[in-house]
Amino acid sequence: MASSGPTSGKKSLNTVTLLFKLPYYTQWGQSLLITGSEPALGSWNVKQGLSLSPVHQDNELIWCGKVSVAAAFTCEYKYYVVDDNKNVLRWEAGENRKLVLPSGVQEGDIIEIRDWWQDASEALFLRSAFKNVVFNATEGVKKESQSASLNKSLDPEDIVVQFVISCPRLESGSTVVVTGSNPQLGRWQAQDGLKLTYVGDSLWKAICVLRKSEFPVKYKYCQISQAGNSSLELGPNREVDIDLSSPKQSRYVVLSDGALRDEPWRGAGVAVPVFSIRSDEDLGVGEFLDLKLLVDWAVNSGFHLVQLLPINDTSVNGMWWDSYPYSSLSVFALHPLYLRVQALSDAIPADVKEEIQQAKKQLDKKDVDYEATLSSKLSIARKIFNLEKDKVLNSSSFKQFLSENEEWLKPYAAFCFLRDFFETSDHSQWGRFSQFSKEKLEKLISEGTLHHDVIHFHYYVQYHLYMQLSDAAAYARKKKVILKGDLPIGVDRNSVDTWVYPTLFRMNTATGAPPDYFDKNGQNWGFPTYNWEEMSKDNYGWWRARLTQMAKYFTAYRIDHILGFFRIWELPDHAATGLLGKFRPSIPLSQEFLSEGLWDFNRMSRPYIRQEILEEKFGSFWTVIAANFLNEYQKQCYEFKEDCNTEKKIIAKIKTSPEKSLWLEKEDSIRRGLFDLLQNVVLIRDPEDPTKFYPRFNLEDTSSFRDLDEHSKNVLRRLYYDYYFARQENLWRQNALKTLPVLLNSSDMLACGEDLGLIPACVHPVMQELGLIGLRIQRMPSEPNTEFGIPSQYSYMTVCAPSCHDCSTLRAWWEEDEGRRSRFYKTVVGSDEEPPSRCTPEVVHFIVQQHFDAPSMWAIFPLQDLLALKDKYTSRPAPEETINDPTNPRHYWRFRVHVTLESLLDDKDIQATIKGLVTSSGRSFPGKKVEGADESGEKLSKVQLNGKA
């Protein structure tokens, strides 16, 4: 029987005292408390939790707290840091602690529980990527009872010590012992140490009875492999002591010692979109079942991870624009593009088999033909569906799939039907179906409708995609390879999600990014921004459902544009570029102007267009521009006409104006010039509150700013810095701490955040606090005033890579800019010689090995960069290997690796080369270097890099 709280007055129940102790340094105004699953610890209500008091002990600050409970008490609990009003500031990471008291405790006993704060980086190894894939060492290990029992009666001089250690990185077949300075712990002989038993959740426990005279006791934990080899944990000796002077001594001491101390584990992986891989079996594009071959290649190359781009359905426009994988039609549905039609049935008719073979030949091209490939696959799938729909739709497997996924699958199928019926995904044009309701949905998908087969076809395709991806995911887990997915920051405004959940999105806005490395004019992705206030009402249920769905296939994921969970760059929906945005949430400028003597807001917030600016920008053609696009409201002062006063209106007018013959072959330059005029402001007025303003990004680059008086300039410079780099930090931190923990707690996947771009100061501390792994790309250093990152200086909680899908490959980057190449050669390689103009395999080897040797937890390489280690894979022009150009919103995502996975598996040389790099850096074995391996890529001589060896 477990107590639910203090038991004073209940004589029939033995009561004991729990004394919690935790070393932790706090700041002024902060304190610690415990809350847990039982009333004695607040029933998970932080305000009712057990408050702790600080005690200085030697050089440590120990937080202590007592509570009386029944002797059979069990509970789960966690430590929290709170302010003076018990508002939560942070909490420890990892799973809830589980408290089970040692058997034999008697009335009046004091059980002292000595805990360590659970750090987020330690908790990472309890995520499924490690627990169920890379290590999985405790699979099949017999799980013992949590409650340890004594084999002897105690006398007054005995103290019972319970050792508890977390070992998530244990090698398969290993056991754990504690060894130390006294006989019961083996006198530092591991084979004679106290053997611990496995109790679940990576925890190992043992109890030991020690005499008071034996304290203090020094000890360490030790792994013993299946072969009998012992490995003592790193760091100084641990020590347990008791206070012999105390009148009420603890009879039991529970040492919750955190994690076994070992070398930092580092892994390696390969990144490639599914659409980019090529196999003998695919039909025009990489497919989910091809991932098995990719996993085999990864294993042979020493990798533990395969990273993909988003794989959700993006079929919004019905054309190649839909190749953009970050613009989801549904955040739950998988893309039919990745379906292997040959695997749909064991009884495909001969004529359909012939059609598949013909399609394979026609679509086996250098790049993906998105439209032809998708059309061909859906056509073939419909034929097979018509032949076997009754068999599949009545199968128990399909019925289970439908039951588990109907919440998103039924709206998705209905949306696809309506999209095709109305020939548009813009659901605002669907008449009475524009507004979603469950009643309308049930009528659309009900039995007996003429289109019921269409609805069932979409179910059928999603079912087979689920089966094929699940098969590949299970294969990856079996091979100890993490499958890492990608969580896009947005959804298409014409999507299932905006149709079904319109209140979760701000449909009159667009998402993007301010000017950065990727684009000096900023980016406009077109997605509506999120209505976080509305999402919070059900504790972000839509996000939790997304992560739950992802976890069916992946054991790790990349959070696209993690900065958007701190603040998002929000643009009006009439914007075409990403420049005239503001951060949401953010504290705008308002009263500051008046106190500084600035009052002419119209001058600063409307486009500043003067005749001399027009003459400078358009030359003699300025009069045509003024006549067609502008009104002169004052001598030599102009404003845009109503029909072209936004970026999208400008685009439309240039294309459709009756006067367009005047600017034929000049459209692009005129559009850019008019955009420049429209963007020539220093302040952006809030569309929802005209008394509030936001400083335009890079406002000093505008002639509007340059023509202001010096006082106004100085005030604006100061307010600009305050807005972008000071006043928002606490707001953005609080915003991230509301949303990101929900994502992280929605699944046990390992989470990595793409933290590139303009990084607020609060981002990295929050990511560290939450155990989020960041991203480091060498050409995009996060350090100020630095052109190239130094991989050897990266922090552990990062993924490092020489390039990514959003930039040119390593080869293209090296060869496209001579000046930059020379600077890299001098500052990073350390040579004053002329670098090779071609990115030779030796150059690639040097840069790749720098990343393998980095302290980062993960080194993940685009497949193109790895293949560049061998000359025979570099025949294709390097720019053609680029996956995405972020400066082009209509980029065609179609790159395919020119060699099949079967051929790569046959190439033992490239696999051996990569595996040699992996093992020499210690990434294939936890914390171990391979004897005789090169210590770093810098062993390559400058002569070798120049290709003159």
Side-chain angles (χ1 to χ4, degrees), residues 362-387:
Q362 292 168 7
L363 296 169
D364 187 19
K365 302 177 181 180
K366 182 179 74 171
D367 295 309
V368 177
D369 186 334
Y370 179 89
E371 294 173 27
T373 300
L374 183 58
S375 174
S376 181
K377 287 196 174 197
L378 291 176
S379 174
I380 294 167
R382 282 191 185 94
K383 292 176 182 177
I384 301 173
F385 167 75
N386 288 332
L387 293 170

PDB file of all heavy atoms in Angstrom, residues 362-387:
ATOM      1  N   GLN A 362      11.822   5.319 -69.400  1.00  0.00           N
ATOM      2  CA  GLN A 362      11.552   6.708 -69.810  1.00  0.00           C
ATOM      3  C   GLN A 362      11.943   7.718 -68.735  1.00  0.00           C
ATOM      4  O   GLN A 362      12.357   8.832 -69.050  1.00  0.00           O
ATOM      5  CB  GLN A 362      10.063   6.865 -70.150  1.00  0.00           C
ATOM      6  CG  GLN A 362       9.619   6.106 -71.393  1.00  0.00           C
ATOM      7  CD  GLN A 362       8.110   6.053 -71.526  1.00  0.00           C
ATOM      8  OE1 GLN A 362       7.384   6.684 -70.755  1.00  0.00           O
ATOM      9  NE2 GLN A 362       7.626   5.284 -72.499  1.00  0.00           N
ATOM     10  N   LEU A 363      11.806   7.327 -67.471  1.00  0.00           N
ATOM     11  CA  LEU A 363      12.024   8.276 -66.371  1.00  0.00           C
ATOM     12  C   LEU A 363      13.405   8.145 -65.736  1.00  0.00           C
ATOM     13  O   LEU A 363      13.705   8.847 -64.768  1.00  0.00           O
ATOM     14  CB  LEU A 363      10.947   8.086 -65.304  1.00  0.00           C
ATOM     15  CG  LEU A 363       9.526   8.404 -65.785  1.00  0.00           C
ATOM     16  CD1 LEU A 363       8.494   7.947 -64.769  1.00  0.00           C
ATOM     17  CD2 LEU A 363       9.371   9.901 -66.060  1.00  0.00           C
ATOM     18  N   ASP A 364      14.242   7.270 -66.265  1.00  0.00           N
ATOM     19  CA  ASP A 364      15.599   7.110 -65.741  1.00  0.00           C
ATOM     20  C   ASP A 364      16.478   8.224 -66.311  1.00  0.00           C
ATOM     21  O   ASP A 364      17.295   8.008 -67.209  1.00  0.00           O
ATOM     22  CB  ASP A 364      16.148   5.732 -66.112  1.00  0.00           C
ATOM     23  CG  ASP A 364      17.482   5.455 -65.434  1.00  0.00           C
ATOM     24  OD1 ASP A 364      17.801   6.138 -64.439  1.00  0.00           O
ATOM     25  OD2 ASP A 364      18.217   4.575 -65.913  1.00  0.00           O
ATOM     26  N   LYS A 365      16.299   9.435 -65.775  1.00  0.00           N
ATOM     27  CA  LYS A 365      16.960  10.626 -66.305  1.00  0.00           C
ATOM     28  C   LYS A 365      18.012  11.141 -65.330  1.00  0.00           C
ATOM     29  O   LYS A 365      18.137  10.667 -64.208  1.00  0.00           O
ATOM     30  CB  LYS A 365      15.917  11.712 -66.572  1.00  0.00           C
ATOM     31  CG  LYS A 365      14.810  11.293 -67.535  1.00  0.00           C
ATOM     32  CD  LYS A 365      13.782  12.401 -67.700  1.00  0.00           C
ATOM     33  CE  LYS A 365      12.655  11.994 -68.643  1.00  0.00           C
ATOM     34  NZ  LYS A 365      11.645  13.062 -68.800  1.00  0.00           N
ATOM     35  N   LYS A 366      18.733  12.149 -65.798  1.00  0.00           N
ATOM     36  CA  LYS A 366      19.774  12.755 -64.963  1.00  0.00           C
ATOM     37  C   LYS A 366      19.165  13.349 -63.702  1.00  0.00           C
ATOM     38  O   LYS A 366      19.705  13.217 -62.599  1.00  0.00           O
ATOM     39  CB  LYS A 366      20.510  13.842 -65.748  1.00  0.00           C
ATOM     40  CG  LYS A 366      21.651  14.488 -64.959  1.00  0.00           C
ATOM     41  CD  LYS A 366      22.370  15.555 -65.772  1.00  0.00           C
ATOM     42  CE  LYS A 366      21.538  16.811 -65.898  1.00  0.00           C
ATOM     43  NZ  LYS A 366      22.284  17.943 -66.493  1.00  0.00           N
ATOM     44  N   ASP A 367      18.016  14.032 -63.863  1.00  0.00           N
ATOM     45  CA  ASP A 367      17.323  14.653 -62.736  1.00  0.00           C
ATOM     46  C   ASP A 367      15.903  14.114 -62.652  1.00  0.00           C
ATOM     47  O   ASP A 367      15.407  13.466 -63.582  1.00  0.00           O
ATOM     48  CB  ASP A 367      17.293  16.176 -62.900  1.00  0.00           C
ATOM     49  CG  ASP A 367      18.673  16.796 -62.856  1.00  0.00           C
ATOM     50  OD1 ASP A 367      19.420  16.502 -61.909  1.00  0.00           O
ATOM     51  OD2 ASP A 367      19.008  17.565 -63.778  1.00  0.00           O
ATOM     52  N   VAL A 368      15.233  14.410 -61.555  1.00  0.00           N
ATOM     53  CA  VAL A 368      13.854  13.976 -61.371  1.00  0.00           C
ATOM     54  C   VAL A 368      12.939  14.770 -62.304  1.00  0.00           C
ATOM     55  O   VAL A 368      13.007  15.995 -62.353  1.00  0.00           O
ATOM     56  CB  VAL A 368      13.397  14.188 -59.911  1.00  0.00           C
ATOM     57  CG1 VAL A 368      11.924  13.800 -59.758  1.00  0.00           C
ATOM     58  CG2 VAL A 368      14.269  13.399 -58.943  1.00  0.00           C
ATOM     59  N   ASP A 369      12.090  14.079 -63.033  1.00  0.00           N
ATOM     60  CA  ASP A 369      10.994  14.714 -63.772  1.00  0.00           C
ATOM     61  C   ASP A 369       9.774  14.575 -62.868  1.00  0.00           C
ATOM     62  O   ASP A 369       9.037  13.596 -62.932  1.00  0.00           O
ATOM     63  CB  ASP A 369      10.774  14.015 -65.120  1.00  0.00           C
ATOM     64  CG  ASP A 369       9.740  14.724 -65.982  1.00  0.00           C
ATOM     65  OD1 ASP A 369       8.866  15.418 -65.404  1.00  0.00           O
ATOM     66  OD2 ASP A 369       9.794  14.577 -67.212  1.00  0.00           O
ATOM     67  N   TYR A 370       9.570  15.572 -62.037  1.00  0.00           N
ATOM     68  CA  TYR A 370       8.581  15.471 -60.954  1.00  0.00           C
ATOM     69  C   TYR A 370       7.181  15.153 -61.482  1.00  0.00           C
ATOM     70  O   TYR A 370       6.523  14.221 -61.025  1.00  0.00           O
ATOM     71  CB  TYR A 370       8.565  16.767 -60.144  1.00  0.00           C
ATOM     72  CG  TYR A 370       7.560  16.759 -59.012  1.00  0.00           C
ATOM     73  CD1 TYR A 370       7.908  16.300 -57.758  1.00  0.00           C
ATOM     74  CD2 TYR A 370       6.252  17.173 -59.218  1.00  0.00           C
ATOM     75  CE1 TYR A 370       6.982  16.264 -56.710  1.00  0.00           C
ATOM     76  CE2 TYR A 370       5.312  17.141 -58.193  1.00  0.00           C
ATOM     77  CZ  TYR A 370       5.688  16.687 -56.947  1.00  0.00           C
ATOM     78  OH  TYR A 370       4.759  16.643 -55.932  1.00  0.00           O
ATOM     79  N   GLU A 371       6.722  15.945 -62.446  1.00  0.00           N
ATOM     80  CA  GLU A 371       5.350  15.794 -62.921  1.00  0.00           C
ATOM     81  C   GLU A 371       5.128  14.446 -63.600  1.00  0.00           C
ATOM     82  O   GLU A 371       4.145  13.737 -63.325  1.00  0.00           O
ATOM     83  CB  GLU A 371       4.996  16.937 -63.865  1.00  0.00           C
ATOM     84  CG  GLU A 371       4.965  18.293 -63.178  1.00  0.00           C
ATOM     85  CD  GLU A 371       4.785  19.436 -64.164  1.00  0.00           C
ATOM     86  OE1 GLU A 371       4.200  19.220 -65.244  1.00  0.00           O
ATOM     87  OE2 GLU A 371       5.233  20.563 -63.863  1.00  0.00           O
ATOM     88  N   ALA A 372       6.036  14.063 -64.503  1.00  0.00           N
ATOM     89  CA  ALA A 372       5.877  12.800 -65.229  1.00  0.00           C
ATOM     90  C   ALA A 372       5.974  11.601 -64.295  1.00  0.00           C
ATOM     91  O   ALA A 372       5.224  10.617 -64.445  1.00  0.00           O
ATOM     92  CB  ALA A 372       6.930  12.700 -66.328  1.00  0.00           C
ATOM     93  N   THR A 373       6.885  11.672 -63.327  1.00  0.00           N
ATOM     94  CA  THR A 373       7.070  10.553 -62.407  1.00  0.00           C
ATOM     95  C   THR A 373       5.841  10.359 -61.522  1.00  0.00           C
ATOM     96  O   THR A 373       5.341   9.238 -61.368  1.00  0.00           O
ATOM     97  CB  THR A 373       8.316  10.780 -61.528  1.00  0.00           C
ATOM     98  OG1 THR A 373       9.466  10.889 -62.366  1.00  0.00           O
ATOM     99  CG2 THR A 373       8.519   9.637 -60.551  1.00  0.00           C
ATOM    100  N   LEU A 374       5.344  11.445 -60.928  1.00  0.00           N
ATOM    101  CA  LEU A 374       4.179  11.323 -60.057  1.00  0.00           C
ATOM    102  C   LEU A 374       2.957  10.858 -60.848  1.00  0.00           C
ATOM    103  O   LEU A 374       2.195   9.982 -60.394  1.00  0.00           O
ATOM    104  CB  LEU A 374       3.890  12.659 -59.372  1.00  0.00           C
ATOM    105  CG  LEU A 374       2.732  12.658 -58.370  1.00  0.00           C
ATOM    106  CD1 LEU A 374       2.972  11.643 -57.261  1.00  0.00           C
ATOM    107  CD2 LEU A 374       2.527  14.053 -57.778  1.00  0.00           C
ATOM    108  N   SER A 375       2.779  11.427 -62.022  1.00  0.00           N
ATOM    109  CA  SER A 375       1.630  11.047 -62.857  1.00  0.00           C
ATOM    110  C   SER A 375       1.683   9.561 -63.214  1.00  0.00           C
ATOM    111  O   SER A 375       0.669   8.850 -63.150  1.00  0.00           O
ATOM    112  CB  SER A 375       1.609  11.896 -64.132  1.00  0.00           C
ATOM    113  OG  SER A 375       0.606  11.470 -65.005  1.00  0.00           O
ATOM    114  N   SER A 376       2.866   9.089 -63.588  1.00  0.00           N
ATOM    115  CA  SER A 376       3.026   7.692 -63.967  1.00  0.00           C
ATOM    116  C   SER A 376       2.749   6.762 -62.784  1.00  0.00           C
ATOM    117  O   SER A 376       2.045   5.756 -62.921  1.00  0.00           O
ATOM    118  CB  SER A 376       4.440   7.458 -64.501  1.00  0.00           C
ATOM    119  OG  SER A 376       4.620   6.123 -64.890  1.00  0.00           O
ATOM    120  N   LYS A 377       3.265   7.111 -61.617  1.00  0.00           N
ATOM    121  CA  LYS A 377       3.068   6.255 -60.447  1.00  0.00           C
ATOM    122  C   LYS A 377       1.598   6.187 -60.052  1.00  0.00           C
ATOM    123  O   LYS A 377       1.074   5.108 -59.733  1.00  0.00           O
ATOM    124  CB  LYS A 377       3.907   6.776 -59.277  1.00  0.00           C
ATOM    125  CG  LYS A 377       5.392   6.527 -59.435  1.00  0.00           C
ATOM    126  CD  LYS A 377       6.118   6.705 -58.119  1.00  0.00           C
ATOM    127  CE  LYS A 377       7.571   6.298 -58.272  1.00  0.00           C
ATOM    128  NZ  LYS A 377       8.248   6.070 -57.006  1.00  0.00           N
ATOM    129  N   LEU A 378       0.920   7.338 -60.045  1.00  0.00           N
ATOM    130  CA  LEU A 378      -0.491   7.336 -59.655  1.00  0.00           C
ATOM    131  C   LEU A 378      -1.344   6.580 -60.667  1.00  0.00           C
ATOM    132  O   LEU A 378      -2.299   5.887 -60.293  1.00  0.00           O
ATOM    133  CB  LEU A 378      -0.990   8.773 -59.491  1.00  0.00           C
ATOM    134  CG  LEU A 378      -0.414   9.534 -58.287  1.00  0.00           C
ATOM    135  CD1 LEU A 378      -0.911  10.970 -58.276  1.00  0.00           C
ATOM    136  CD2 LEU A 378      -0.780   8.841 -56.980  1.00  0.00           C
ATOM    137  N   SER A 379      -0.993   6.688 -61.940  1.00  0.00           N
ATOM    138  CA  SER A 379      -1.732   5.973 -62.975  1.00  0.00           C
ATOM    139  C   SER A 379      -1.600   4.461 -62.792  1.00  0.00           C
ATOM    140  O   SER A 379      -2.588   3.716 -62.857  1.00  0.00           O
ATOM    141  CB  SER A 379      -1.225   6.380 -64.359  1.00  0.00           C
ATOM    142  OG  SER A 379      -1.821   5.602 -65.368  1.00  0.00           O
ATOM    143  N   ILE A 380      -0.384   4.002 -62.558  1.00  0.00           N
ATOM    144  CA  ILE A 380      -0.148   2.572 -62.353  1.00  0.00           C
ATOM    145  C   ILE A 380      -0.816   2.094 -61.063  1.00  0.00           C
ATOM    146  O   ILE A 380      -1.439   1.026 -61.013  1.00  0.00           O
ATOM    147  CB  ILE A 380       1.365   2.285 -62.337  1.00  0.00           C
ATOM    148  CG1 ILE A 380       1.976   2.556 -63.714  1.00  0.00           C
ATOM    149  CG2 ILE A 380       1.640   0.853 -61.885  1.00  0.00           C
ATOM    150  CD1 ILE A 380       3.481   2.596 -63.732  1.00  0.00           C
ATOM    151  N   ALA A 381      -0.692   2.914 -60.016  1.00  0.00           N
ATOM    152  CA  ALA A 381      -1.286   2.537 -58.724  1.00  0.00           C
ATOM    153  C   ALA A 381      -2.801   2.393 -58.834  1.00  0.00           C
ATOM    154  O   ALA A 381      -3.399   1.495 -58.218  1.00  0.00           O
ATOM    155  CB  ALA A 381      -0.919   3.566 -57.665  1.00  0.00           C
ATOM    156  N   ARG A 382      -3.445   3.253 -59.623  1.00  0.00           N
ATOM    157  CA  ARG A 382      -4.909   3.157 -59.800  1.00  0.00           C
ATOM    158  C   ARG A 382      -5.296   1.833 -60.472  1.00  0.00           C
ATOM    159  O   ARG A 382      -6.303   1.210 -60.111  1.00  0.00           O
ATOM    160  CB  ARG A 382      -5.422   4.337 -60.625  1.00  0.00           C
ATOM    161  CG  ARG A 382      -5.552   5.631 -59.847  1.00  0.00           C
ATOM    162  CD  ARG A 382      -6.308   6.697 -60.618  1.00  0.00           C
ATOM    163  NE  ARG A 382      -6.297   7.947 -59.881  1.00  0.00           N
ATOM    164  CZ  ARG A 382      -5.400   8.923 -60.058  1.00  0.00           C
ATOM    165  NH1 ARG A 382      -4.440   8.768 -60.968  1.00  0.00           N
ATOM    166  NH2 ARG A 382      -5.460  10.018 -59.336  1.00  0.00           N
ATOM    167  N   LYS A 383      -4.503   1.427 -61.433  1.00  0.00           N
ATOM    168  CA  LYS A 383      -4.803   0.166 -62.129  1.00  0.00           C
ATOM    169  C   LYS A 383      -4.696  -1.018 -61.174  1.00  0.00           C
ATOM    170  O   LYS A 383      -5.544  -1.923 -61.190  1.00  0.00           O
ATOM    171  CB  LYS A 383      -3.861  -0.008 -63.319  1.00  0.00           C
ATOM    172  CG  LYS A 383      -4.117   1.007 -64.426  1.00  0.00           C
ATOM    173  CD  LYS A 383      -3.102   0.884 -65.552  1.00  0.00           C
ATOM    174  CE  LYS A 383      -3.378   1.956 -66.624  1.00  0.00           C
ATOM    175  NZ  LYS A 383      -2.384   1.931 -67.708  1.00  0.00           N
ATOM    176  N   ILE A 384      -3.675  -1.009 -60.347  1.00  0.00           N
ATOM    177  CA  ILE A 384      -3.507  -2.108 -59.388  1.00  0.00           C
ATOM    178  C   ILE A 384      -4.594  -2.027 -58.316  1.00  0.00           C
ATOM    179  O   ILE A 384      -5.151  -3.054 -57.892  1.00  0.00           O
ATOM    180  CB  ILE A 384      -2.098  -2.072 -58.768  1.00  0.00           C
ATOM    181  CG1 ILE A 384      -1.037  -2.183 -59.864  1.00  0.00           C
ATOM    182  CG2 ILE A 384      -1.922  -3.178 -57.728  1.00  0.00           C
ATOM    183  CD1 ILE A 384       0.392  -1.999 -59.383  1.00  0.00           C
ATOM    184  N   PHE A 385      -4.929  -0.828 -57.893  1.00  0.00           N
ATOM    185  CA  PHE A 385      -6.002  -0.626 -56.911  1.00  0.00           C
ATOM    186  C   PHE A 385      -7.319  -1.196 -57.418  1.00  0.00           C
ATOM    187  O   PHE A 385      -8.033  -1.895 -56.690  1.00  0.00           O
ATOM    188  CB  PHE A 385      -6.141   0.865 -56.611  1.00  0.00           C
ATOM    189  CG  PHE A 385      -7.394   1.244 -55.864  1.00  0.00           C
ATOM    190  CD1 PHE A 385      -7.507   0.980 -54.509  1.00  0.00           C
ATOM    191  CD2 PHE A 385      -8.453   1.868 -56.510  1.00  0.00           C
ATOM    192  CE1 PHE A 385      -8.665   1.329 -53.811  1.00  0.00           C
ATOM    193  CE2 PHE A 385      -9.606   2.222 -55.827  1.00  0.00           C
ATOM    194  CZ  PHE A 385      -9.706   1.940 -54.474  1.00  0.00           C
ATOM    195  N   ASN A 386      -7.651  -0.919 -58.659  1.00  0.00           N
ATOM    196  CA  ASN A 386      -8.914  -1.405 -59.218  1.00  0.00           C
ATOM    197  C   ASN A 386      -8.984  -2.930 -59.241  1.00  0.00           C
ATOM    198  O   ASN A 386     -10.068  -3.512 -59.157  1.00  0.00           O
ATOM    199  CB  ASN A 386      -9.107  -0.853 -60.628  1.00  0.00           C
ATOM    200  CG  ASN A 386      -9.422   0.630 -60.628  1.00  0.00           C
ATOM    201  OD1 ASN A 386      -9.998   1.142 -59.660  1.00  0.00           O
ATOM    202  ND2 ASN A 386      -9.035   1.329 -61.686  1.00  0.00           N
ATOM    203  N   LEU A 387      -7.827  -3.567 -59.318  1.00  0.00           N
ATOM    204  CA  LEU A 387      -7.792  -5.024 -59.371  1.00  0.00           C
ATOM    205  C   LEU A 387      -7.883  -5.668 -57.985  1.00  0.00           C
ATOM    206  O   LEU A 387      -8.420  -6.766 -57.858  1.00  0.00           O
ATOM    207  CB  LEU A 387      -6.504  -5.491 -60.066  1.00  0.00           C
ATOM    208  CG  LEU A 387      -6.373  -5.160 -61.561  1.00  0.00           C
ATOM    209  CD1 LEU A 387      -4.960  -5.470 -62.043  1.00  0.00           C
ATOM    210  CD2 LEU A 387      -7.402  -5.958 -62.368  1.00  0.00           C
TER     211      LEU A 387
END
